């Protein structure tokens, strides 16, 4: 899977977000529907962002706090 070994650092704006968890999106860290086209068996993580803030979305697929980075990429 096309994961990377570091998080995506985003200055997020309020709203409902769908973050990719399958690693196949062409618009990471957001879902682009690739999980359905490629039948990955995964689905995006829906997160409600209530205020503008910096977020770190997992890019390695190893986090225990999906969809956010928990430092597992560096272990
Ligand atoms: S990028 Fe996956 S745990 Fe940090």
């Amino acid at each position: 899977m096309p994961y990377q070994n570091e998080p995506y650092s985003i200055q997020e704006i309020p709203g409902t977000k769908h973050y990719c968890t399958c690693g196949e999106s062409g618009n990471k860290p957001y879902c682009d529907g690739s999980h359905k086209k490629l039948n990955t068996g995964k689905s995006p993580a829906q997160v409600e962002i209530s205020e503008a803030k910096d977020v770190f979305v997992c890019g390695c697929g190893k986090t225990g706090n999906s969809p956010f980075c928990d430092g597992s990429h560096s272990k």
Side-chain angles (χ1 to χ4, degrees):
M1 290 194 184
Y3 287 111
Q4 64 180 30
N5 198 35
E6 61 185 4
Y8 295 92
S9 174
I10 307 166
Q11 293 181 316
E12 197 60 279
I13 58 175
T16 303
K17 312 299 174 182
H18 296 89
Y19 296 118
C20 174
T21 63
C22 75
E24 301 291 348
S25 175
N27 187 36
K28 289 190 197 79
Y30 303 105
C31 174
D32 72 350
S34 291
H35 64 282
K36 284 185 185 170
K37 285 181 245 164
L38 299 172
N39 204 17
T40 64
K42 295 193 174 185
S43 54
Q46 181 175 314
V47 177
E48 193 66 36
I49 301 291
S50 59
E51 60 186 20
K53 61 181 177 180
D54 294 336
V55 298
F56 296 90
V57 179
C58 176
C60 76
K62 299 174 191 167
T63 184
N65 186 35
S66 180
F68 302 109
C69 174
D70 71 353
S72 294
H73 63 274
S74 59
K75 294 178 184 169

